[in-house]
């Protein structure tokens, strides 16, 4: 497993359906070592801090293995690293093999997997097509967010070292599946809601699903 590219971007104004939208989803690869703080990468920012950024969404990672899929799905669309708004384009960290709570070291920084990325309309703005949001979520190729547990520096080519695998074994893919069809899996909801590394808003969502499922019985 290794880091393929580090990508950063600042908020910019773009025109979408006749209105001005401020977004930082446009990320571009940078060379050299890049510093990471608890909430961000050097040279990177989020536009809407109510739904993006913060310690639980400090860094967005997307695996290079998914790019071949999207090149087939989106023929003729240029897809340089960072195309999906990811800060880290990585190799070998697939959603169905990566657990919420897994810990990794990249360069001199350490990371904790917190949650999948759920696409918002900014992805449609990036690709200039409304259908990309549903296609992205349905594909299961969501990528995931890291919390930064030790500040440091990273750079393309860095080895990704596993520090700890979460014993509960709730994967990123599991969270997406429960988000889409959680009312069909009470045991899965209960297990996911017990994962310490999962942010509180996700736990609260799963608890609501459990309560709703119980009320229908």
């Amino acid at each position: 497993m290794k880091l393929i590219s580090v990508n950063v971007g600042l908020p910019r104004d773009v025109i979408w359906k006749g209105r001005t939208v401020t977004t930082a989803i446009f990320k571009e690869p940078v060379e050299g070592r890049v510093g990471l703080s608890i909430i961000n990468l050097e040279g990177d920012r989020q536009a809407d801090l109510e739904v993006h950024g913060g310690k639980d969404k400090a860094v967005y990672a997307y695996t290079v293995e998914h790019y071949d899929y999207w090149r087939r799905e989106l023929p003729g669309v240029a897809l340089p690293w960072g195309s999906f708004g990811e800060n880290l384009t990585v190799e070998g960290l697939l959603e169905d093999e990566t657990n919420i709570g897994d810990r990794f070291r990249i360069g001199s920084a350490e990371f904790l997997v917190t949650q999948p990325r759920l696409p918002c309309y900014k992805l449609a703005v990036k690709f200039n097509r409304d259908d990309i949001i549903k296609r992205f979520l349905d594909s299961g190729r969501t990528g995931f967010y890291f919390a930064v547990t030790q500040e440091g520096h990273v750079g393309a080519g860095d080895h990704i070292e596993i520090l700890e695998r979460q014993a509960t074994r709730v994967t990123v893919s599991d969270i997406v599946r429960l988000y889409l069809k959680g009312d069909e899996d009470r045991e899965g909801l209960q297990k996911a809601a017990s994962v310490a590394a999962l942010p509180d808003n996700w736990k609260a969502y799963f608890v609501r699903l459990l309560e709703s499922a119980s009320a229908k019985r």
Side-chain angles (χ1 to χ4, degrees):
M1 299 184 296
K2 68 178 181 179
L3 177 58
I4 302 298
S5 180
V6 181
N7 318 294
V8 301
L10 299 175
R12 67 172 73 173
D13 291 338
V14 298
I15 303 299
W16 170 246
K17 296 185 176 182
R19 64 189 180 95
T20 300
V21 173
T22 302
T23 178
I25 198 171
F26 294 86
K27 308 294 185 186
E28 297 181 356
V30 291
E31 297 181 356
R33 311 298 294 171
V34 178
L36 289 105
S37 71
I38 295 298
I39 60 170
N40 223 324
L41 287 82
E42 182 181 356
D44 190 70
R45 295 292 185 274
Q46 294 87 24
D48 185 353
L49 295 178
E50 290 188 5
V51 294
H52 299 292
K55 65 181 181 64
D56 291 327
K57 295 182 178 179
V59 177
Y60 174 43
Y62 200 69
T63 184
V64 69
E65 287 89 340
H66 294 337
Y67 271 80
D68 283 344
Y69 170 85
W70 289 113
R71 290 184 180 112
R72 294 191 300 271
E73 289 288 306
L74 304 171
V77 177
L79 294 174
W81 308 139
S83 289
F84 297 93
E86 77 269 19
N87 300 115
L88 305 182
T89 310
V90 297
E91 180 183 73
L93 292 180
L94 299 173
E95 292 86 351
D96 60 355
E97 300 173 354
T98 304
N99 306 302
I100 304 300
D102 282 355
R103 296 177 56 245
F104 299 91
R105 179 182 293 116
I106 309 175
S108 58
E110 294 182 7
F111 303 85
L112 176 76
V113 178
T114 59
Q115 60 193 299
R117 182 263 192 94
L118 296 183
C120 69
Y121 79 96
K122 300 289 181 70
L123 189 65
V125 172
K126 173 67 167 59
F127 285 91
N128 195 31
R129 54 191 303 163
D130 288 315
D131 68 335
I132 193 66
I133 299 174
K134 185 177 187 302
R135 290 171 69 176
F136 186 85
L137 189 57
D138 289 348
S139 76
R141 296 166 171 83
T142 62
F144 53 85
Y145 288 103
F146 279 128
V148 177
T149 57
Q150 177 174 298
E151 297 181 344
H153 291 78
V154 298
D158 283 350
H159 172 68
I160 300 175
E161 177 187 357
I162 301 170
L163 297 178
E164 180 185 359
R165 287 293 195 188
Q166 175 57 238
T168 51
R169 292 291 194 269
V170 175
T171 68
V172 174
S173 292
D174 288 334
I175 298 298
V176 175
R177 176 181 57 81
L178 291 168
Y179 172 76
L180 295 174
K181 298 181 178 180
D183 56 354
E184 301 175 6
D185 185 359
R186 289 178 53 83
E187 183 178 349
L189 288 171
Q190 291 169 340
K191 185 177 180 182
S194 71
V195 178
L198 191 68
D200 289 342
N201 62 320
W202 273 103
K203 293 178 183 177
Y205 175 72
F206 289 150
V207 168
R208 288 197 300 272
L209 287 183
L210 279 166
E211 292 172 346
S212 177
S214 296
K216 294 177 182 178
R217 298 179 68 180

